[in-house]
Amino acid sequence: MAALRVFSVASTSTSSSSLHCYPSVFTKFQSSPIWSISFSVTPLLCSRRAKRMAHSIARATLGLTHPNQIEAHKISFAAKEIDLVEWKGDILAVGATEKDLARDENSKFQNPILQKLDSKLAGLLSEASSEEDFSGKSGQSTVLRLPGLGSKRIALVGLGSSVSSTAAYRSLGEAVAAAAKSAQASNIAVALASTDGLSAESKLSSASAIVTGAALGIFEDNRFKSESKKPTLKSLDILGLGTGPEIEKKLKYAEDVCAGVIFCRELVNAPANVLTPAVLAEEAKKIASTYSDVLSANILDVEQCKELKMGSYLAVGEASANPPHFIHLCYKPTGGEIKKKLALVGKGLTFDSGGYNIKTGPGCLIELMKFDMGGSAAVLGAAKALGQIKPAGVEVHFIVAACENMISGTGMRPGDVVTASNGKTIEVNNTDAEGRLTLADALVYACNQGVEKIVDLATLTGACIVALGPSIAGVFTPSDDLAKEVAAASEVSGEKLWRMPLEESYWDTMTSGVADMVNTGGRQGGAIVAALFLKQFVDEKVQWMHIDLAGPVWNDKKKNATGFGVSTLVEWVLKNSTN
């Protein structure tokens, strides 16, 4: 991803179920050295490569840093129909809208559920909530320790003026997780003050969103800290939203997706001296091995990529001591007719220095360029989730051209001309527009798998952050049908996407005097031009979408990865599996 400098828009590259909150990503390295991964994935083919591989081995253990082995933490989720005043545990959390907090002339709750709780507490709930100035506004929460109930504490969480979105219920779950951490709670129950107007389907989706918010909210990535507290939460009950097979299935689905999101977060959080291209490839192989009934892995080394004429991708990784690894996972259901063939392509720059156009100056974000593989992490997170969910009727290819963009005497230079695997030539006028060069060959490869639809995800441009801010991903596609499909999936997932124009006239800025195109245009419309570049490497018969997630891949406040993209991708694949 290109440096984003001050005063300018830099457009060049940038029932019950059990949840394992901490998948042991990279824990294999506690028992075996990292260098064995590089050796096994990329065999020594000649003395020159042997020397380079030895350097790669050293780089993989740079700083003597290894992730701590953290035991998987389990949370049990259950949907129950229990009277709130009878439930026993550490925290009873009630999500309430501003309307639910309405009072009568005696300052008592009018809402039946809050009224019942207040009556059991001899009026202490209404009194304490007034003193805390709790009015049900979105983002408000208060935890009260009041005697008289089976629960040790009552948490009131504001849902705003009205509730209709997945995001609101996820926020409720996140607030509950925060309360659990603060109180070191083991058992929590969550209920809504009012379920009026909620259809049976809405109850299912709201329960799923609450569980998702709680599971992701309780997660902390402590693998690289010398000391850390273990989470205490063991169970979370959803009260009053129904019971039975349907809601149990929904909770299990939320568990599977959360596992993929957490895996994605851990990949992005991992520093570049730990997560090299070889290690990323090994993690992909581990997913395929875990779900070998539906997933297979094919990892291409440099020589195999050369045979496929991937000159654009290989040029980016040429300067690094850690050689490129091209990752291809394939999901096939165990039986039944395959109706759709899809591809998910993720940008996999495990570190981006900018190359000879090195990232410099305020706002260049070079210290965060470990997240330049956020697209690939989302793709692999989706693979993990889908391996557990096992949708029928759909074949999915997960493709990542993993490498590092570094600087050395062998590296790609400004002015070089590289040739992609579809024969198109590219004049490299900026080595920091590297992500699109790797995606070019990845997209050609994806088309060659015979897929009907492709979604690529990339932390591609700083320009997209300027356009849409830190929370919204930009979507580019010439297909209205595909745009509608992914938009519908994002509505369910709660992830924010915004469709951007593919203005063909902007392609004029990509003219080269010596090659078919340059890899960067002018400063204006940088995210659009980057998408137009990718379009040159997609078969016209294939429906294609590019998602620029440079903004929402990272949470600056929490200084952590978000896992953005996984939920939407999984939902989109499932929608295709049923059509």
Side-chain angles (χ1 to χ4, degrees), residues 62-83:
L62 181 67
L64 304 180
T65 300
H66 297 271
N68 295 321
Q69 186 169 358
I70 298 177
E71 186 178 350
H73 178 68
K74 297 180 181 180
I75 302 174
S76 177
F77 297 111
K80 298 179 179 179
E81 288 292 346
I82 299 176
D83 193 326

PDB file of all heavy atoms in Angstrom, residues 62-83:
ATOM      1  N   LEU A  62      14.281 -13.683  12.915  1.00  0.00           N
ATOM      2  CA  LEU A  62      14.835 -12.379  13.263  1.00  0.00           C
ATOM      3  C   LEU A  62      14.280 -11.890  14.595  1.00  0.00           C
ATOM      4  O   LEU A  62      13.078 -11.890  14.815  1.00  0.00           O
ATOM      5  CB  LEU A  62      14.497 -11.367  12.166  1.00  0.00           C
ATOM      6  CG  LEU A  62      15.026  -9.945  12.363  1.00  0.00           C
ATOM      7  CD1 LEU A  62      16.546  -9.924  12.270  1.00  0.00           C
ATOM      8  CD2 LEU A  62      14.434  -9.024  11.313  1.00  0.00           C
ATOM      9  N   GLY A  63      15.185 -11.473  15.485  1.00  0.00           N
ATOM     10  CA  GLY A  63      14.758 -10.957  16.777  1.00  0.00           C
ATOM     11  C   GLY A  63      14.457 -12.035  17.794  1.00  0.00           C
ATOM     12  O   GLY A  63      14.047 -11.745  18.913  1.00  0.00           O
ATOM     13  N   LEU A  64      14.659 -13.293  17.431  1.00  0.00           N
ATOM     14  CA  LEU A  64      14.406 -14.435  18.321  1.00  0.00           C
ATOM     15  C   LEU A  64      12.986 -14.441  18.858  1.00  0.00           C
ATOM     16  O   LEU A  64      12.726 -14.870  19.980  1.00  0.00           O
ATOM     17  CB  LEU A  64      15.411 -14.431  19.488  1.00  0.00           C
ATOM     18  CG  LEU A  64      16.894 -14.427  19.105  1.00  0.00           C
ATOM     19  CD1 LEU A  64      17.765 -14.428  20.351  1.00  0.00           C
ATOM     20  CD2 LEU A  64      17.228 -15.624  18.225  1.00  0.00           C
ATOM     21  N   THR A  65      12.069 -13.929  18.060  1.00  0.00           N
ATOM     22  CA  THR A  65      10.676 -13.806  18.512  1.00  0.00           C
ATOM     23  C   THR A  65       9.836 -14.976  18.027  1.00  0.00           C
ATOM     24  O   THR A  65       9.800 -15.275  16.828  1.00  0.00           O
ATOM     25  CB  THR A  65      10.065 -12.489  17.994  1.00  0.00           C
ATOM     26  OG1 THR A  65      10.832 -11.398  18.499  1.00  0.00           O
ATOM     27  CG2 THR A  65       8.620 -12.333  18.455  1.00  0.00           C
ATOM     28  N   HIS A  66       9.168 -15.616  18.960  1.00  0.00           N
ATOM     29  CA  HIS A  66       8.224 -16.680  18.650  1.00  0.00           C
ATOM     30  C   HIS A  66       6.923 -16.394  19.391  1.00  0.00           C
ATOM     31  O   HIS A  66       6.948 -15.934  20.528  1.00  0.00           O
ATOM     32  CB  HIS A  66       8.753 -18.052  19.072  1.00  0.00           C
ATOM     33  CG  HIS A  66       9.997 -18.464  18.358  1.00  0.00           C
ATOM     34  ND1 HIS A  66       9.980 -19.158  17.167  1.00  0.00           N
ATOM     35  CD2 HIS A  66      11.304 -18.272  18.656  1.00  0.00           C
ATOM     36  CE1 HIS A  66      11.220 -19.386  16.773  1.00  0.00           C
ATOM     37  NE2 HIS A  66      12.040 -18.853  17.648  1.00  0.00           N
ATOM     38  N   PRO A  67       5.781 -16.675  18.789  1.00  0.00           N
ATOM     39  CA  PRO A  67       4.514 -16.462  19.500  1.00  0.00           C
ATOM     40  C   PRO A  67       4.403 -17.386  20.710  1.00  0.00           C
ATOM     41  O   PRO A  67       4.851 -18.533  20.675  1.00  0.00           O
ATOM     42  CB  PRO A  67       3.452 -16.814  18.458  1.00  0.00           C
ATOM     43  CG  PRO A  67       4.166 -16.832  17.146  1.00  0.00           C
ATOM     44  CD  PRO A  67       5.578 -17.203  17.443  1.00  0.00           C
ATOM     45  N   ASN A  68       3.811 -16.873  21.776  1.00  0.00           N
ATOM     46  CA  ASN A  68       3.544 -17.722  22.930  1.00  0.00           C
ATOM     47  C   ASN A  68       2.473 -18.746  22.581  1.00  0.00           C
ATOM     48  O   ASN A  68       1.558 -18.460  21.807  1.00  0.00           O
ATOM     49  CB  ASN A  68       3.060 -16.878  24.120  1.00  0.00           C
ATOM     50  CG  ASN A  68       4.130 -15.928  24.620  1.00  0.00           C
ATOM     51  OD1 ASN A  68       5.302 -16.283  24.667  1.00  0.00           O
ATOM     52  ND2 ASN A  68       3.726 -14.732  24.984  1.00  0.00           N
ATOM     53  N   GLN A  69       2.597 -19.914  23.150  1.00  0.00           N
ATOM     54  CA  GLN A  69       1.594 -20.939  22.927  1.00  0.00           C
ATOM     55  C   GLN A  69       0.461 -20.715  23.930  1.00  0.00           C
ATOM     56  O   GLN A  69       0.633 -20.879  25.129  1.00  0.00           O
ATOM     57  CB  GLN A  69       2.184 -22.337  23.105  1.00  0.00           C
ATOM     58  CG  GLN A  69       1.213 -23.443  22.750  1.00  0.00           C
ATOM     59  CD  GLN A  69       1.897 -24.791  22.668  1.00  0.00           C
ATOM     60  OE1 GLN A  69       3.109 -24.876  22.837  1.00  0.00           O
ATOM     61  NE2 GLN A  69       1.140 -25.834  22.404  1.00  0.00           N
ATOM     62  N   ILE A  70      -0.687 -20.301  23.410  1.00  0.00           N
ATOM     63  CA  ILE A  70      -1.832 -19.987  24.267  1.00  0.00           C
ATOM     64  C   ILE A  70      -2.897 -21.060  24.091  1.00  0.00           C
ATOM     65  O   ILE A  70      -3.331 -21.349  22.978  1.00  0.00           O
ATOM     66  CB  ILE A  70      -2.412 -18.595  23.920  1.00  0.00           C
ATOM     67  CG1 ILE A  70      -1.342 -17.523  24.176  1.00  0.00           C
ATOM     68  CG2 ILE A  70      -3.672 -18.311  24.726  1.00  0.00           C
ATOM     69  CD1 ILE A  70      -1.770 -16.132  23.793  1.00  0.00           C
ATOM     70  N   GLU A  71      -3.302 -21.618  25.196  1.00  0.00           N
ATOM     71  CA  GLU A  71      -4.302 -22.670  25.153  1.00  0.00           C
ATOM     72  C   GLU A  71      -5.633 -22.119  24.647  1.00  0.00           C
ATOM     73  O   GLU A  71      -6.047 -21.027  25.025  1.00  0.00           O
ATOM     74  CB  GLU A  71      -4.482 -23.253  26.556  1.00  0.00           C
ATOM     75  CG  GLU A  71      -5.405 -24.455  26.613  1.00  0.00           C
ATOM     76  CD  GLU A  71      -5.512 -25.025  28.013  1.00  0.00           C
ATOM     77  OE1 GLU A  71      -4.725 -24.597  28.887  1.00  0.00           O
ATOM     78  OE2 GLU A  71      -6.384 -25.893  28.225  1.00  0.00           O
ATOM     79  N   ALA A  72      -6.287 -22.862  23.788  1.00  0.00           N
ATOM     80  CA  ALA A  72      -7.563 -22.427  23.230  1.00  0.00           C
ATOM     81  C   ALA A  72      -8.581 -22.198  24.339  1.00  0.00           C
ATOM     82  O   ALA A  72      -8.773 -23.045  25.208  1.00  0.00           O
ATOM     83  CB  ALA A  72      -8.084 -23.464  22.242  1.00  0.00           C
ATOM     84  N   HIS A  73      -9.213 -21.039  24.308  1.00  0.00           N
ATOM     85  CA  HIS A  73     -10.215 -20.690  25.310  1.00  0.00           C
ATOM     86  C   HIS A  73     -11.603 -20.979  24.761  1.00  0.00           C
ATOM     87  O   HIS A  73     -11.933 -20.585  23.647  1.00  0.00           O
ATOM     88  CB  HIS A  73     -10.098 -19.214  25.682  1.00  0.00           C
ATOM     89  CG  HIS A  73     -11.129 -18.756  26.673  1.00  0.00           C
ATOM     90  ND1 HIS A  73     -11.131 -19.194  27.970  1.00  0.00           N
ATOM     91  CD2 HIS A  73     -12.193 -17.930  26.547  1.00  0.00           C
ATOM     92  CE1 HIS A  73     -12.137 -18.646  28.614  1.00  0.00           C
ATOM     93  NE2 HIS A  73     -12.806 -17.871  27.768  1.00  0.00           N
ATOM     94  N   LYS A  74     -12.424 -21.665  25.523  1.00  0.00           N
ATOM     95  CA  LYS A  74     -13.743 -22.073  25.055  1.00  0.00           C
ATOM     96  C   LYS A  74     -14.839 -21.278  25.758  1.00  0.00           C
ATOM     97  O   LYS A  74     -14.802 -21.092  26.968  1.00  0.00           O
ATOM     98  CB  LYS A  74     -13.962 -23.566  25.305  1.00  0.00           C
ATOM     99  CG  LYS A  74     -12.999 -24.469  24.556  1.00  0.00           C
ATOM    100  CD  LYS A  74     -13.282 -25.935  24.856  1.00  0.00           C
ATOM    101  CE  LYS A  74     -12.307 -26.838  24.120  1.00  0.00           C
ATOM    102  NZ  LYS A  74     -12.569 -28.273  24.414  1.00  0.00           N
ATOM    103  N   ILE A  75     -15.794 -20.829  24.962  1.00  0.00           N
ATOM    104  CA  ILE A  75     -17.000 -20.196  25.490  1.00  0.00           C
ATOM    105  C   ILE A  75     -18.190 -21.006  25.006  1.00  0.00           C
ATOM    106  O   ILE A  75     -18.298 -21.318  23.820  1.00  0.00           O
ATOM    107  CB  ILE A  75     -17.147 -18.746  25.020  1.00  0.00           C
ATOM    108  CG1 ILE A  75     -15.928 -17.916  25.427  1.00  0.00           C
ATOM    109  CG2 ILE A  75     -18.404 -18.106  25.603  1.00  0.00           C
ATOM    110  CD1 ILE A  75     -15.941 -16.513  24.859  1.00  0.00           C
ATOM    111  N   SER A  76     -19.085 -21.348  25.903  1.00  0.00           N
ATOM    112  CA  SER A  76     -20.281 -22.096  25.544  1.00  0.00           C
ATOM    113  C   SER A  76     -21.445 -21.121  25.371  1.00  0.00           C
ATOM    114  O   SER A  76     -21.738 -20.326  26.266  1.00  0.00           O
ATOM    115  CB  SER A  76     -20.615 -23.111  26.645  1.00  0.00           C
ATOM    116  OG  SER A  76     -21.821 -23.790  26.347  1.00  0.00           O
ATOM    117  N   PHE A  77     -22.088 -21.173  24.214  1.00  0.00           N
ATOM    118  CA  PHE A  77     -23.250 -20.330  23.941  1.00  0.00           C
ATOM    119  C   PHE A  77     -24.515 -21.177  23.994  1.00  0.00           C
ATOM    120  O   PHE A  77     -24.530 -22.301  23.498  1.00  0.00           O
ATOM    121  CB  PHE A  77     -23.143 -19.681  22.560  1.00  0.00           C
ATOM    122  CG  PHE A  77     -21.970 -18.752  22.421  1.00  0.00           C
ATOM    123  CD1 PHE A  77     -20.907 -19.075  21.608  1.00  0.00           C
ATOM    124  CD2 PHE A  77     -21.940 -17.559  23.118  1.00  0.00           C
ATOM    125  CE1 PHE A  77     -19.831 -18.230  21.472  1.00  0.00           C
ATOM    126  CE2 PHE A  77     -20.873 -16.702  22.993  1.00  0.00           C
ATOM    127  CZ  PHE A  77     -19.804 -17.030  22.169  1.00  0.00           C
ATOM    128  N   ALA A  78     -25.578 -20.621  24.540  1.00  0.00           N
ATOM    129  CA  ALA A  78     -26.841 -21.352  24.612  1.00  0.00           C
ATOM    130  C   ALA A  78     -28.009 -20.391  24.489  1.00  0.00           C
ATOM    131  O   ALA A  78     -27.957 -19.264  24.982  1.00  0.00           O
ATOM    132  CB  ALA A  78     -26.930 -22.123  25.924  1.00  0.00           C
ATOM    133  N   ALA A  79     -29.063 -20.832  23.823  1.00  0.00           N
ATOM    134  CA  ALA A  79     -30.306 -20.071  23.741  1.00  0.00           C
ATOM    135  C   ALA A  79     -31.306 -20.693  24.706  1.00  0.00           C
ATOM    136  O   ALA A  79     -31.585 -21.897  24.621  1.00  0.00           O
ATOM    137  CB  ALA A  79     -30.849 -20.107  22.319  1.00  0.00           C
ATOM    138  N   LYS A  80     -31.827 -19.894  25.619  1.00  0.00           N
ATOM    139  CA  LYS A  80     -32.703 -20.425  26.668  1.00  0.00           C
ATOM    140  C   LYS A  80     -33.946 -19.563  26.837  1.00  0.00           C
ATOM    141  O   LYS A  80     -33.941 -18.379  26.536  1.00  0.00           O
ATOM    142  CB  LYS A  80     -31.951 -20.496  28.001  1.00  0.00           C
ATOM    143  CG  LYS A  80     -30.736 -21.413  27.992  1.00  0.00           C
ATOM    144  CD  LYS A  80     -30.025 -21.412  29.338  1.00  0.00           C
ATOM    145  CE  LYS A  80     -28.815 -22.355  29.328  1.00  0.00           C
ATOM    146  NZ  LYS A  80     -28.117 -22.338  30.631  1.00  0.00           N
ATOM    147  N   GLU A  81     -34.998 -20.192  27.322  1.00  0.00           N
ATOM    148  CA  GLU A  81     -36.208 -19.470  27.708  1.00  0.00           C
ATOM    149  C   GLU A  81     -36.338 -19.567  29.224  1.00  0.00           C
ATOM    150  O   GLU A  81     -36.903 -20.510  29.765  1.00  0.00           O
ATOM    151  CB  GLU A  81     -37.439 -20.066  27.017  1.00  0.00           C
ATOM    152  CG  GLU A  81     -37.526 -19.769  25.529  1.00  0.00           C
ATOM    153  CD  GLU A  81     -37.778 -18.292  25.229  1.00  0.00           C
ATOM    154  OE1 GLU A  81     -38.141 -17.544  26.156  1.00  0.00           O
ATOM    155  OE2 GLU A  81     -37.601 -17.893  24.064  1.00  0.00           O
ATOM    156  N   ILE A  82     -35.754 -18.598  29.913  1.00  0.00           N
ATOM    157  CA  ILE A  82     -35.758 -18.562  31.376  1.00  0.00           C
ATOM    158  C   ILE A  82     -36.215 -17.184  31.819  1.00  0.00           C
ATOM    159  O   ILE A  82     -35.837 -16.171  31.213  1.00  0.00           O
ATOM    160  CB  ILE A  82     -34.343 -18.840  31.944  1.00  0.00           C
ATOM    161  CG1 ILE A  82     -33.852 -20.220  31.518  1.00  0.00           C
ATOM    162  CG2 ILE A  82     -34.325 -18.723  33.466  1.00  0.00           C
ATOM    163  CD1 ILE A  82     -32.438 -20.517  31.971  1.00  0.00           C
ATOM    164  N   ASP A  83     -37.009 -17.129  32.849  1.00  0.00           N
ATOM    165  CA  ASP A  83     -37.408 -15.851  33.431  1.00  0.00           C
ATOM    166  C   ASP A  83     -36.158 -15.120  33.905  1.00  0.00           C
ATOM    167  O   ASP A  83     -35.322 -15.699  34.610  1.00  0.00           O
ATOM    168  CB  ASP A  83     -38.354 -16.097  34.612  1.00  0.00           C
ATOM    169  CG  ASP A  83     -39.056 -14.832  35.062  1.00  0.00           C
ATOM    170  OD1 ASP A  83     -38.435 -13.756  34.987  1.00  0.00           O
ATOM    171  OD2 ASP A  83     -40.221 -14.912  35.484  1.00  0.00           O
TER     172      ASP A  83
END
